[in-house]
Amino acid sequence: MIAHWITNECERKLAALACKRIKGTHSFHKIAEIMEEIHLEYNLTWNKIVGTVIDNGSNFVKAFKIYGIKTSVLDFEMEAENMSDSDQSSSSASESDENPRMWTEKLSNHIRCGSHTLNLCASADLKKTLIKNSALSNIHDQVLGKCNKLWKAAQRPKSAEIIENIIGHTLTRPGETRWNSLYNALQQIMEIREKCGQLFKELGFKNPLNDREFEYVQEHLKCTKPIAEALDILQEEKNTFYGILIPCLALK
């Protein structure tokens, strides 16, 4: 869990609050419980948190649906003012009145992860398009089928050696969790177009990618490039603040 905030000088800041292992089932109850423990440790009541950004996993979504609050930025500001007035008028309050346990089972506002949402736009929305267009679906399946042969071959020592001897490097197989890894892998396939026939022959594969299929890969890359580049920016290991989402989308 990482905290992000803006200083009075309008500087973006972040700090790691915790990195905890979840043992057993990653249920929404368990997720909510661990998040609350971290909040309590830093006295982060829900009215101090504008929002919590998580991925779109059903267990995370349900945790906030069951235990979270629904509030707008305006509600948040009004609540903060009320809390400030209350603090000034009750300086002699007992320790139990100040105990964060009073807000047990209240998580903050839930904000869906921009990167995960873009991943769904590129994967789920593409899937819907392919279902509606059988011709497009056929060539898409043919292309990925042939590419998968190369990607799987790159995982085997003997085949990997053949690939490296022909193209000078190995081939990167797309990951399951990050859609832009598929974009990068297809871009790599496009770059070895001239050696594709030789590659298939040396590996003992029939029917290499033909001109029509390479044209499809080229069109696919052209259409998905803005999303892939946006994801590369949003998924950087450092300096990734929620405030860069809209500018990133606007530029791409």
Side-chain angles (χ1 to χ4, degrees), residues 18-24 26 30 34 37-38:
C19 181
K20 292 191 175 184
R21 176 186 174 188
I22 301 179
K23 295 182 179 180
H26 293 192
K30 191 66 176 178
I34 291 178
E37 288 175 359
I38 299 170

Side-chain angles (χ1 to χ4, degrees), residues 34-118:
I34 291 178
M35 291 185 72
E36 184 194 25
E37 288 175 359
I38 299 170
H39 290 164
L40 289 171
E41 184 178 351
Y42 291 93
N43 193 27
L44 291 174
T45 52
W46 66 264
N47 53 288
K48 294 180 180 178
I49 306 172
V50 176
T52 303
V53 181
I54 60 170
D55 67 24
N56 298 339
S58 59
N59 50 353
F60 278 98
V61 172
K62 190 170 182 179
F64 281 84
K65 183 177 181 181
I66 301 298
Y67 299 116
I69 55 121
K70 299 293 181 183
T71 184
S72 65
V73 173
L74 180 60
D75 294 330
F76 169 81
E77 290 175 347
M78 291 176 65
E79 181 66 24
E81 289 177 4
N82 292 336
M83 288 292 291
S84 177
D85 294 340
S86 176
D87 290 343
Q88 292 177 3
S89 61
S90 58
S91 57
S92 60
S94 66
E95 183 178 348
S96 61
D97 290 334
E98 296 176 353
N99 194 330
R101 278 291 175 186
M102 291 183 68
W103 58 272
T104 293
E105 296 189 348
K106 273 191 180 181
L107 295 178
S108 68
N109 229 8
H110 169 209
I111 302 174
R112 300 260 181 149
C113 173
S115 296
H116 198 179
T117 302
L118 280 177

Side-chain angles (χ1 to χ4, degrees), residues 220-236:
H220 181 91
L221 292 173
K222 182 180 179 180
C223 293
T224 55
K225 182 179 179 181
I227 295 178
E229 290 184 344
L231 283 171
D232 284 339
I233 295 171
L234 295 173
Q235 292 176 342
E236 287 181 347

Side-chain angles (χ1 to χ4, degrees), residues 2 13-14 75 82 127 136 145 157 170 177 207 216 248:
I2 300 175
K13 297 288 185 179
L14 64 85
D75 294 330
N82 292 336
K127 187 176 181 180
L136 187 64
T170 188
T177 57
N207 302 321
Y216 173 79
C248 181

Side-chain angles (χ1 to χ4, degrees), residues 168-199:
H169 57 80
T170 188
L171 290 174
T172 304
R173 188 175 184 177
E176 295 182 1
T177 57
R178 292 195 174 189
W179 169 86
N180 51 331
S181 66
L182 173 61
Y183 175 88
N184 295 334
L186 287 175
Q187 192 174 44
Q188 199 175 46
I189 294 292
M190 197 68 202
E191 291 170 355
I192 63 166
R193 179 174 183 172
E194 299 301 323
K195 297 181 179 180
C196 185
Q198 180 187 358
L199 196 56

Side-chain angles (χ1 to χ4, degrees), residues 130-147:
L130 294 175
I131 290 174
K132 295 177 182 178
N133 191 322
S134 58
L136 187 64
S137 178
N138 289 336
I139 189 170
H140 180 83
D141 291 342
Q142 288 171 14
V143 168
L144 286 190
K146 293 180 180 181
C147 289

